[in-house]
Amino acid sequence: MWRHRNNIVSVMNVLDSVSVLDKSLSIKFEDGTSIAYEDCWLRDHCRCSCCYHADTFQRAHHLLDIPDVTISSVLYDKQTLQITWSDNHVSNYKAQFLANFNYEKWKNSKKLTPIIWRGLEIADRVAKIHVNKFLNSDEGAKTVFKSLLDYGVALIENVDVSVEATEKVCNALGGVQHTMFGGMWRFTTVQDHADTAYTNLPLTVHNDNTYFTEAAGLQILHCLEHTNGTGGETLLVDGFYGATLLKDQHPDDYDFLTKFDVEAEYMDDSHHYKYSAPVIRLNKMKEIIQIRFNVYDRSTMAFSSREECKTYYRSLRNLSKYYENPEFQWKFKLKPGLVMVMDNFRVLHGRTGFSGKRVLCGSYVSRSDWLNKARTLRLIQ
Ligand SMILES: C[N+](C)(C)CCCC[C@H](N)C(=O)O
Ligand SMILES: O=C(O)CCC(=O)C(=O)O
């Protein structure tokens, strides 16, 4: 038993009893939970210096080297368990370690819990934080990454109006991800790449990189200048919200978009990226984990039947109607000094058409890299 500062008593994961069973062992903890462990799992998780490189958190043995042994005897107290194996090897385990492997607790510890949002309501909920607090304090970093985990959007203010200052923010978010567009981009209406982003045309809301095997995790945009013109407003919509509405109101279309591989591509004179994947990606618990929606970058596809072709168009159009609904979109103007960060696996972004000189900079950050940051801040496991 141990006490928090505010005197709340918490029960540490404390061993109550241990039973050796056939090729397994069962532990009952004082909080009432019981967990069964297979012998091979226990031996595979021996943390002695022969079995485990503590300095690299890596096992020392191959899977094929886990011996086919049985438990000869056990010794335990409230905090530790010692196993002597039939080959006389001795393994020690801490209760706190073993208690993590109750399956439901372990499975739920991985869950992300996005908060669905609709249109302008998000404006008052996303993090808006001074760049110095974001860069120089754990509290500031946690605020930004929690906003990204909850809503898929965060705003960082008072950033010097330069590519260099924006790059510092991108690196603090996980690191600049390089693609055929480069690392840190600075783009205007000069057609540096074969993409309408490099024009003044309106761009309906979309996810980037549907043609990559893995889309960028974050997209970061900083408007450095917009002079002698109008328009160029940013549009954001919660891709999870639209998908949820489609599931409720057009379940067959939802089902189709979670299974059918939509092909997308990017082409220019020296690149041809192509990838096929469902627009709505689910995990094994049937939870939405990614939206890959981009009306512009779709490849020309053949279909197995007229029915499949008609379903493709009907389901994409029905999903798009949610994303195009102004009530579900957050529309705002990016101004110099304000850096917008969004989760490209979830939030669709776009812009209204514009006139004048408009200069944006920013970068992508891979999902692995930004979730790594969130994990080291202990916001996720
Ligand atoms: C690199 N920068 C963000 C400026 C433009 C990227 C264009 C992305 C492409 N239309 C897509 O949706 O993937
Ligand atoms: O110009 C903008 O505001 C956004 C451009 C865009 O959608 C993109 O670069 O993916």
Side-chain angles (χ1 to χ4, degrees):
M1 304 282 273
W2 52 288
R3 292 182 180 282
H4 292 296
R5 279 191 305 280
N6 50 6
N7 216 24
I8 294 174
V9 177
S10 295
V11 177
M12 282 282 281
N13 294 292
V14 176
L15 299 184
D16 178 55
S17 63
V18 174
S19 312
V20 178
L21 310 170
D22 175 31
K23 302 288 281 176
S24 67
L25 173 144
S26 174
I27 294 177
K28 189 165 174 294
F29 294 88
E30 277 195 358
D31 66 1
T33 55
S34 284
I35 305 176
Y37 307 82
E38 295 301 313
D39 285 357
C40 60
W41 186 95
L42 287 163
R43 186 62 180 255
D44 183 32
H45 291 86
C46 179
R47 290 299 193 246
C48 78
S49 57
C50 297
C51 297
Y52 188 67
H53 296 302
D55 53 342
T56 66
F57 306 100
Q58 290 174 301
R59 292 180 180 79
H61 300 311
H62 193 292
L63 266 172
L64 296 174
D65 297 333
I66 299 174
D68 184 12
V69 290
T70 56
I71 294 172
S72 296
S73 63
V74 296
L75 284 174
Y76 66 94
D77 59 26
K78 287 180 180 296
Q79 304 304 331
T80 55
L81 165 68
Q82 184 179 84
I83 292 178
T84 301
W85 298 92
S86 54
D87 62 352
N88 295 322
H89 189 82
V90 177
S91 303
N92 292 288
Y93 308 85
K94 294 199 181 304
Q96 188 68 12
F97 167 76
L98 292 168
N100 289 319
F101 299 99
N102 160 285
Y103 180 68
E104 284 307 315
K105 175 181 169 186
W106 176 80
K107 185 178 72 171
N108 291 332
S109 70
K110 313 254 170 244
K111 277 169 75 80
L112 299 179
T113 51
I115 300 171
I116 298 291
W117 55 270
R118 170 186 161 144
L120 190 58
E121 72 181 25
I122 191 66
D124 296 329
R125 292 158 73 180
V126 292
K128 297 179 192 69
I129 191 159
H130 192 290
V131 61
N132 292 343
K133 191 169 180 187
F134 168 60
L135 294 176
N136 304 325
S137 76
D138 264 8
E139 184 200 349
K142 282 182 176 180
T143 302
V144 167
F145 283 99
K146 181 149 181 11
S147 186
L148 287 170
L149 290 165
D150 287 346
Y151 307 115
V153 188
L155 300 176
I156 299 167
E157 302 173 316
N158 309 98
V159 180
D160 287 353
V161 184
S162 71
V163 174
E164 295 71 20
T166 310
E167 184 169 12
K168 284 183 183 160
V169 170
C170 297
N171 283 325
L173 286 162
V176 172
Q177 180 181 9
H178 288 253
T179 69
M180 69 291 201
F181 299 114
M184 283 301 295
W185 337 291
R186 183 184 181 282
F187 64 103
T188 64
T189 52
V190 175
Q191 196 80 38
D192 289 340
H193 293 277
D195 193 277
T196 48
Y198 299 83
T199 70
N200 64 358
L201 294 170
L203 297 175
T204 191
V205 288
H206 63 278
N207 301 109
D208 275 22
N209 314 148
T210 47
Y211 39 77
F212 284 164
T213 52
E214 179 171 302
L218 298 178
Q219 178 159 355
I220 296 129
L221 292 174
H222 184 186
C223 181
L224 301 177
E225 179 187 347
H226 187 190
T227 49
N228 305 319
T230 58
E233 292 171 296
T234 294
L235 307 167
L236 299 183
V237 67
D238 184 355
F240 287 4
Y241 181 51
T244 305
L245 290 174
L246 184 76
K247 182 178 181 180
D248 293 345
Q249 297 165 13
H250 302 281
D252 293 345
D253 294 346
Y254 177 84
D255 187 56
F256 178 81
L257 291 180
T258 63
K259 291 171 179 157
F260 181 80
D261 287 338
V262 172
E263 188 179 275
E265 62 188 337
Y266 170 89
M267 288 180 280
D268 64 27
D269 53 13
S270 55
H271 300 90
H272 190 179
Y273 290 92
K274 188 178 280 192
Y275 191 64
S276 298
V279 168
I280 303 170
R281 180 175 157 207
L282 305 179
N283 64 14
K284 62 183 179 182
M285 281 83 81
K286 301 292 183 199
E287 295 157 338
I288 300 172
I289 54 174
Q290 184 179 4
I291 302 293
R292 302 173 69 103
F293 188 91
N294 188 310
V295 296
Y296 303 118
D297 294 340
R298 288 173 299 119
S299 301
T300 303
M301 294 180 68
F303 295 92
S304 61
S305 67
R306 289 187 58 197
E307 191 54 37
E308 187 180 69
C309 181
K310 286 187 284 185
T311 305
Y312 168 92
Y313 284 103
R314 186 191 68 235
S315 58
L316 284 174
R317 283 172 171 159
N318 279 336
L319 179 59
S320 187
K321 288 171 188 170
Y322 298 116
Y323 294 153
E324 295 302 324
N325 185 333
E327 284 182 36
F328 300 165
Q329 296 180 348
W330 178 27
K331 185 176 181 180
F332 63 101
K333 179 78 178 162
L334 283 173
K335 297 224 184 331
L338 177 70
V339 170
M340 181 217 13
V341 191
M342 68 172 124
D343 177 356
N344 184 51
F345 270 47
R346 170 187 176 181
V347 173
L348 286 74
H349 66 284
R351 71 168 183 229
T352 58
F354 62 92
S355 58
K357 182 181 178 186
R358 183 173 181 267
V359 182
L360 262 70
C361 78
S363 86
Y364 294 130
V365 174
S366 79
R367 184 168 180 83
S368 297
D369 285 334
W370 83 263
L371 290 183
N372 163 59
K373 285 283 188 178
R375 195 169 291 111
T376 52
L377 288 166
R378 300 195 181 290
L379 293 173
I380 57 172
Q381 292 200 23

XYZ file of all heavy atoms in Angstrom, residues 159-234:
577
model
N 5.369 32.493 -33.391
C 6.542 31.900 -34.051
C 7.149 32.964 -34.959
O 6.421 33.639 -35.702
C 6.143 30.665 -34.881
C 7.366 30.038 -35.561
C 5.452 29.617 -33.992
N 8.468 33.138 -34.892
C 9.098 34.095 -35.821
C 8.696 33.745 -37.248
O 8.594 32.549 -37.604
C 10.633 34.010 -35.702
C 11.127 34.641 -34.412
O 10.288 35.251 -33.698
O 12.320 34.490 -34.103
N 8.477 34.771 -38.042
C 7.966 34.538 -39.405
C 9.131 34.157 -40.317
O 9.639 34.968 -41.110
C 7.240 35.804 -39.914
C 6.623 35.544 -41.287
C 6.141 36.207 -38.929
N 9.557 32.923 -40.162
C 10.693 32.433 -40.969
C 10.616 30.920 -41.080
O 10.017 30.236 -40.241
C 12.023 32.820 -40.303
O 12.214 32.046 -39.127
N 11.265 30.409 -42.105
C 11.340 28.955 -42.279
C 12.145 28.352 -41.134
O 11.780 27.309 -40.576
C 11.982 28.618 -43.648
C 12.204 27.114 -43.780
C 11.133 29.154 -44.802
N 13.209 29.041 -40.716
C 14.086 28.524 -39.667
C 13.315 28.356 -38.350
O 13.426 27.318 -37.694
C 15.282 29.457 -39.459
C 16.227 29.552 -40.656
C 15.626 30.327 -41.844
O 14.659 31.111 -41.628
O 16.071 30.082 -43.003
N 12.531 29.369 -37.990
C 11.773 29.268 -36.724
C 10.715 28.172 -36.829
O 10.456 27.437 -35.857
C 11.127 30.606 -36.415
N 10.109 28.038 -38.014
C 9.103 26.993 -38.209
C 9.743 25.612 -38.144
O 9.178 24.677 -37.588
C 8.410 27.191 -39.562
O 7.974 28.557 -39.681
C 7.211 26.251 -39.723
N 10.958 25.521 -38.659
C 11.662 24.226 -38.629
C 11.921 23.773 -37.190
O 11.809 22.580 -36.873
C 12.976 24.327 -39.398
C 13.722 22.992 -39.490
C 14.879 23.024 -40.480
O 15.248 24.134 -40.928
O 15.379 21.928 -40.825
N 12.211 24.726 -36.301
C 12.412 24.355 -34.898
C 11.141 23.724 -34.331
O 11.187 22.736 -33.592
C 12.788 25.593 -34.067
C 14.218 26.043 -34.246
C 14.538 27.221 -33.352
C 15.978 27.708 -33.609
N 16.162 29.102 -33.121
N 10.002 24.291 -34.718
C 8.724 23.737 -34.255
C 8.520 22.340 -34.837
O 8.159 21.392 -34.129
C 7.573 24.678 -34.655
C 6.218 24.019 -34.413
C 7.669 26.006 -33.915
N 8.806 22.190 -36.134
C 8.628 20.879 -36.789
C 9.518 19.833 -36.139
O 9.097 18.693 -35.896
C 8.941 20.991 -38.278
S 7.843 22.107 -39.179
N 10.714 20.201 -35.804
C 11.626 19.243 -35.163
C 11.151 18.884 -33.761
O 11.250 17.733 -33.333
C 13.047 19.799 -35.150
C 13.706 19.680 -36.521
O 13.452 18.707 -37.240
N 14.509 20.656 -36.891
N 10.604 19.869 -33.053
C 10.095 19.589 -31.691
C 8.840 18.724 -31.742
O 8.484 18.057 -30.769
C 9.793 20.905 -30.975
N 8.162 18.713 -32.892
C 6.956 17.879 -33.052
C 7.313 16.440 -33.403
O 6.454 15.557 -33.406
C 6.036 18.484 -34.116
C 5.286 19.735 -33.674
C 4.758 20.504 -34.878
C 4.135 19.365 -32.727
N 8.581 16.202 -33.711
C 9.005 14.835 -34.009
C 10.081 14.759 -35.060
O 10.742 13.736 -35.218
N 10.239 15.836 -35.823
C 11.307 15.825 -36.828
C 10.762 15.957 -38.235
O 9.713 15.403 -38.569
N 11.469 16.710 -39.063
C 11.033 16.967 -40.446
C 11.100 15.680 -41.256
O 12.134 15.003 -41.276
C 11.930 18.056 -41.079
C 11.644 18.206 -42.571
C 11.737 19.388 -40.355
N 9.995 15.335 -41.881
C 9.941 14.127 -42.718
C 10.185 14.536 -44.161
O 9.517 15.424 -44.686
C 8.571 13.459 -42.594
C 8.438 12.194 -43.443
C 7.055 11.552 -43.319
O 6.151 12.124 -42.739
N 6.906 10.353 -43.852
N 11.146 13.908 -44.808
C 11.495 14.264 -46.186
C 10.668 13.449 -47.173
O 10.456 12.252 -46.972
C 12.988 14.045 -46.429
C 13.836 15.071 -45.732
N 14.484 16.087 -46.396
C 14.070 15.272 -44.407
C 15.114 16.857 -45.518
N 14.879 16.382 -44.306
N 10.203 14.115 -48.223
C 9.482 13.444 -49.326
C 9.966 14.081 -50.634
O 10.867 14.925 -50.631
C 7.959 13.680 -49.210
O 7.706 15.081 -49.477
C 7.417 13.318 -47.842
N 9.324 13.713 -51.723
C 9.726 14.299 -53.009
C 9.460 15.803 -53.036
O 9.970 16.513 -53.881
C 9.013 13.618 -54.168
C 7.539 13.864 -54.289
S 6.592 13.086 -52.966
C 4.987 12.999 -53.658
N 8.675 16.278 -52.052
C 8.442 17.730 -51.985
C 9.570 18.434 -51.246
O 9.583 19.661 -51.172
C 7.114 18.018 -51.269
C 5.907 17.450 -51.947
C 5.164 16.451 -51.343
C 5.532 17.892 -53.215
C 4.046 15.916 -51.969
C 4.419 17.358 -53.852
C 3.682 16.360 -53.230
N 10.485 17.616 -50.648
C 11.578 18.183 -49.854
C 11.366 17.935 -48.376
O 10.545 17.117 -47.976
N 12.139 18.667 -47.557
C 11.985 18.526 -46.100
C 11.117 19.665 -45.609
O 9.903 19.571 -45.546
N 11.772 20.819 -45.282
C 11.005 22.036 -44.994
C 10.579 22.627 -46.331
O 11.398 22.817 -47.229
C 11.870 23.051 -44.243
C 12.064 22.740 -42.787
S 10.538 22.626 -41.838
C 9.932 24.319 -41.934
N 9.272 22.864 -46.514
C 8.837 23.475 -47.769
C 8.624 24.976 -47.562
O 8.300 25.427 -46.475
C 7.518 22.907 -48.291
C 7.120 21.565 -47.855
C 7.717 20.385 -48.194
C 6.023 21.231 -46.994
N 7.053 19.333 -47.605
C 6.010 19.841 -46.865
C 5.072 21.998 -46.331
C 5.051 19.163 -46.102
C 4.121 21.320 -45.567
C 4.120 19.920 -45.463
N 8.828 25.704 -48.640
C 8.398 27.113 -48.716
C 7.728 27.213 -50.072
O 8.389 27.050 -51.100
C 9.603 28.050 -48.630
C 9.229 29.524 -48.618
C 10.471 30.404 -48.632
N 10.139 31.825 -48.589
C 9.721 32.513 -49.654
N 9.548 31.875 -50.839
N 9.435 33.800 -49.548
N 6.376 27.322 -50.056
C 5.722 27.266 -51.360
C 4.773 28.424 -51.606
O 4.209 28.986 -50.676
C 5.027 25.920 -51.549
C 3.895 25.622 -50.592
C 2.575 25.743 -50.999
C 4.157 25.178 -49.304
C 1.536 25.439 -50.143
C 3.121 24.871 -48.434
C 1.801 25.008 -48.846
N 4.631 28.744 -52.872
C 3.747 29.841 -53.315
C 2.987 29.334 -54.529
O 2.678 28.145 -54.594
C 4.588 31.067 -53.734
O 5.380 30.684 -54.880
C 5.540 31.491 -52.622
N 2.713 30.194 -55.461
C 2.010 29.747 -56.672
C 3.007 29.406 -57.779
O 2.615 29.180 -58.905
C 1.076 30.862 -57.185
O 1.841 32.067 -57.298
C -0.078 31.100 -56.211
N 4.275 29.351 -57.418
C 5.275 28.888 -58.401
C 5.184 27.367 -58.475
O 5.215 26.693 -57.447
C 6.703 29.322 -57.983
C 7.741 28.725 -58.939
C 6.792 30.846 -57.939
N 5.020 26.843 -59.656
C 4.762 25.402 -59.822
C 6.028 24.582 -59.632
O 6.539 23.936 -60.534
C 4.194 25.154 -61.228
C 3.524 23.782 -61.411
C 2.099 23.739 -60.852
O 1.374 24.710 -60.967
N 1.737 22.613 -60.241
N 6.490 24.579 -58.356
C 7.717 23.819 -58.041
C 7.518 22.323 -58.153
O 8.453 21.560 -58.293
C 8.156 24.141 -56.598
C 8.689 25.556 -56.484
O 9.066 26.123 -57.544
O 8.711 26.087 -55.358
N 6.265 21.903 -58.012
C 5.963 20.458 -58.100
C 4.642 20.281 -58.822
O 3.826 21.219 -58.886
C 5.886 19.836 -56.694
C 7.189 19.826 -55.978
N 8.137 18.852 -56.172
C 7.720 20.703 -55.081
C 9.188 19.110 -55.413
N 8.962 20.233 -54.746
N 4.432 19.089 -59.331
C 3.227 18.815 -60.132
C 2.028 18.630 -59.208
O 1.526 17.518 -59.030
C 3.455 17.567 -60.979
N 1.626 19.773 -58.593
C 0.500 19.647 -57.667
C -0.204 20.992 -57.560
O 0.435 22.051 -57.538
C 0.990 19.212 -56.278
C -0.179 18.773 -55.425
O -0.829 19.663 -54.848
O -0.456 17.571 -55.374
N -1.526 20.944 -57.455
C -2.331 22.171 -57.414
C -2.135 22.955 -56.111
O -2.593 24.093 -55.998
C -3.832 21.841 -57.588
O -4.161 20.754 -56.709
C -4.135 21.451 -59.025
N -1.430 22.341 -55.140
C -1.097 23.132 -53.943
C -0.219 24.313 -54.333
O -0.254 25.368 -53.690
C -0.381 22.255 -52.918
N 0.522 24.134 -55.440
C 1.446 25.167 -55.919
C 0.770 26.081 -56.936
O 1.344 26.450 -57.964
C 2.690 24.511 -56.511
C 3.457 23.676 -55.519
C 3.077 22.360 -55.240
C 4.540 24.208 -54.807
C 3.751 21.594 -54.303
C 5.228 23.446 -53.881
C 4.825 22.141 -53.626
O 5.484 21.382 -52.697
N -0.524 26.365 -56.654
C -1.304 27.311 -57.466
C -2.115 28.168 -56.501
O -1.978 28.023 -55.287
C -2.302 26.553 -58.377
O -3.342 25.981 -57.542
C -1.626 25.439 -59.167
N -2.995 28.995 -57.033
C -3.907 29.763 -56.166
C -5.327 29.214 -56.234
O -6.279 29.851 -55.803
C -3.887 31.238 -56.543
C -4.412 31.472 -57.969
O -4.752 30.514 -58.680
N -4.488 32.726 -58.355
N -5.436 27.994 -56.730
C -6.754 27.362 -56.841
C -7.283 26.946 -55.464
O -6.489 26.649 -54.559
C -6.661 26.121 -57.743
C -6.336 26.362 -59.215
C -6.041 25.011 -59.899
C -7.490 27.095 -59.887
N -8.598 26.900 -55.300
C -9.137 26.339 -54.070
C -8.809 24.846 -53.994
O -8.725 24.167 -55.026
C -10.649 26.563 -54.209
C -10.905 26.746 -55.662
C -9.656 27.331 -56.238
N -8.580 24.356 -52.788
C -8.348 22.916 -52.592
C -9.390 22.415 -51.613
O -9.408 22.862 -50.453
C -6.941 22.671 -52.030
C -5.769 23.096 -52.914
C -4.456 22.899 -52.161
C -5.746 22.303 -54.208
N -10.242 21.524 -52.066
C -11.235 20.997 -51.128
C -10.523 20.168 -50.064
O -9.386 19.722 -50.246
C -12.298 20.164 -51.876
O -13.362 19.914 -50.954
C -11.745 18.833 -52.345
N -11.199 19.969 -48.956
C -10.534 19.288 -47.834
C -10.088 17.874 -48.229
O -10.799 17.139 -48.924
C -11.469 19.235 -46.606
C -11.606 20.625 -45.986
C -12.842 18.669 -46.948
N -8.912 17.541 -47.801
C -8.286 16.267 -48.186
C -7.228 15.864 -47.169
O -6.783 16.686 -46.363
C -7.625 16.418 -49.559
C -6.516 17.427 -49.558
N -6.738 18.798 -49.677
C -5.171 17.293 -49.400
C -5.595 19.450 -49.629
N -4.618 18.564 -49.453
N -6.853 14.595 -47.245
C -5.651 14.121 -46.553
C -4.516 14.103 -47.575
O -4.759 13.791 -48.755
C -5.846 12.702 -46.000
C -6.999 12.630 -45.027
O -8.028 12.052 -45.339
N -6.829 13.218 -43.858
N -3.313 14.391 -47.157
C -2.175 14.300 -48.060
C -1.665 12.865 -48.161
O -1.909 12.038 -47.282
C -1.028 15.195 -47.556
C -1.191 16.636 -48.041
O -2.330 17.010 -48.370
O -0.186 17.358 -48.095
N -0.911 12.602 -49.230
C -0.088 11.397 -49.382
C -0.882 10.101 -49.469
O -0.421 9.056 -48.987
C 0.910 11.262 -48.239
C 1.660 12.529 -47.906
O 2.007 12.748 -46.759
N 1.908 13.385 -48.867
N -2.053 10.134 -50.095
C -2.815 8.877 -50.231
C -2.084 7.912 -51.166
O -2.427 6.747 -51.259
C -4.225 9.172 -50.796
O -4.088 10.059 -51.921
C -5.109 9.844 -49.757
N -1.070 8.414 -51.859
C -0.285 7.618 -52.817
C 0.968 7.018 -52.149
O 1.770 6.351 -52.795
C 0.132 8.495 -54.010
C 0.522 9.878 -53.570
C 1.766 10.131 -52.975
C -0.385 10.939 -53.634
C 2.105 11.378 -52.498
C -0.063 12.203 -53.157
C 1.190 12.416 -52.583
O 1.504 13.667 -52.101
N 1.198 7.291 -50.882
C 2.335 6.709 -50.136
C 1.871 5.459 -49.391
O 0.722 5.380 -48.948
C 2.884 7.689 -49.089
C 3.737 8.818 -49.619
C 4.000 9.913 -48.813
C 4.274 8.795 -50.904
C 4.790 10.981 -49.263
C 5.056 9.844 -51.370
C 5.311 10.932 -50.545
N 2.769 4.491 -49.204
C 2.393 3.319 -48.394
C 2.015 3.784 -46.984
O 1.136 3.220 -46.345
C 3.567 2.321 -48.302
O 4.731 3.026 -47.871
C 3.821 1.667 -49.647
N 2.694 4.815 -46.471
C 2.247 5.420 -45.215
C 2.195 6.924 -45.405
O 3.214 7.541 -45.751
C 3.144 5.085 -44.028
C 2.610 5.791 -42.740
C 3.286 5.355 -41.453
O 3.265 4.150 -41.136
O 3.849 6.236 -40.768
N 1.010 7.470 -45.180
C 0.850 8.929 -45.300
C 1.636 9.627 -44.191
O 1.934 9.021 -43.151
C -0.630 9.291 -45.196
N 1.964 10.888 -44.443
C 2.620 11.667 -43.377
C 1.727 11.676 -42.140
O 0.498 11.642 -42.241
C 2.859 13.091 -43.860
N 2.354 11.711 -40.978
C 1.589 11.711 -39.732
C 1.016 13.079 -39.426
O -0.184 13.233 -39.168
N 1.880 14.104 -39.471
C 1.435 15.474 -39.219
C 1.712 16.308 -40.457
O 2.676 16.063 -41.180
C 2.191 16.102 -38.039
C 2.056 15.467 -36.675
C 2.940 16.221 -35.663
C 0.606 15.431 -36.196
N 0.871 17.316 -40.676
C 1.206 18.373 -41.621
C 1.249 19.688 -40.855
O 0.345 19.973 -40.065
C 0.202 18.453 -42.769
C 0.538 19.600 -43.732
C -0.059 19.449 -45.115
O -0.671 18.431 -45.410
N 0.142 20.434 -45.964
N 2.315 20.417 -41.051
C 2.521 21.680 -40.345
C 2.556 22.811 -41.372
O 3.282 22.708 -42.376
C 3.847 21.652 -39.565
C 3.780 20.558 -38.476
C 4.136 23.005 -38.924
C 4.936 19.631 -38.478
N 1.721 23.821 -41.165
C 1.658 24.940 -42.113
C 1.805 26.267 -41.383
O 1.206 26.483 -40.325
C 0.330 24.934 -42.887
C 0.108 23.772 -43.879
C -1.304 23.811 -44.446
C 1.138 23.778 -45.003
N 2.601 27.158 -41.963
C 2.835 28.502 -41.420
C 2.763 29.484 -42.589
O 3.566 29.383 -43.517
C 4.219 28.554 -40.764
C 4.512 29.869 -40.093
N 5.750 30.142 -39.547
C 3.741 30.965 -39.857
C 5.733 31.362 -39.018
N 4.517 31.872 -39.167
N 1.756 30.364 -42.561
C 1.631 31.356 -43.623
C 2.594 32.511 -43.348
O 2.390 33.289 -42.412
C 0.186 31.880 -43.691
S -0.050 33.107 -44.998
N 3.635 32.620 -44.139
C 4.660 33.650 -43.907
C 4.222 35.000 -44.459
O 4.671 36.047 -43.975
C 5.987 33.230 -44.560
C 6.590 31.899 -44.092
C 7.869 31.590 -44.876
C 6.866 31.922 -42.588
N 3.368 34.949 -45.464
C 2.945 36.219 -46.102
C 1.703 35.985 -46.947
O 1.572 34.936 -47.576
C 4.088 36.729 -47.003
C 3.758 38.016 -47.745
C 4.847 38.398 -48.756
O 5.963 37.809 -48.708
O 4.587 39.272 -49.582
N 0.793 36.939 -46.922
C -0.286 36.980 -47.913
C -0.585 38.455 -48.154
O -1.216 39.114 -47.333
C -1.538 36.252 -47.452
C -2.561 36.166 -48.574
N -3.844 35.731 -48.368
C -2.470 36.471 -49.898
C -4.518 35.778 -49.517
N -3.692 36.216 -50.468
N -0.114 38.959 -49.265
C -0.244 40.397 -49.550
C -0.926 40.611 -50.900
O -0.910 39.727 -51.771
C 1.168 41.051 -49.616
O 2.001 40.256 -50.466
C 1.792 41.145 -48.227
N -1.514 41.772 -51.022
C -2.157 42.189 -52.287
C -3.182 41.184 -52.796
O -3.267 40.915 -54.003
C -1.088 42.414 -53.373
C -0.027 43.399 -52.916
O -0.372 44.409 -52.286
N 1.240 43.079 -53.151
N -3.915 40.626 -51.882
C -4.930 39.684 -52.347
C -5.879 39.258 -51.239
O -5.733 39.668 -50.075
N -6.823 38.416 -51.604
C -7.839 37.943 -50.645
C -7.930 36.421 -50.726
O -7.314 35.785 -51.589
C -9.227 38.538 -51.030
O -9.515 38.115 -52.386
C -9.220 40.053 -50.933
N -8.775 35.868 -49.871
C -8.999 34.416 -49.877
C -7.894 33.666 -49.156
O -7.285 34.183 -48.217
N -7.624 32.461 -49.583
C -6.564 31.646 -48.965
C -6.866 31.257 -47.543
O -5.964 31.125 -46.715
N -8.163 31.103 -47.232
C -8.519 30.665 -45.873
C -8.347 29.152 -45.744
O -8.552 28.403 -46.701
C -9.972 31.051 -45.565
C -10.148 32.561 -45.455
C -11.610 32.929 -45.372
O -12.320 32.670 -46.347
O -12.013 33.451 -44.322
N -7.995 28.719 -44.549
C -7.788 27.280 -44.278
C -9.109 26.641 -43.884
O -9.911 27.242 -43.156
C -6.752 27.125 -43.150
O -5.484 27.611 -43.646
C -6.617 25.676 -42.704
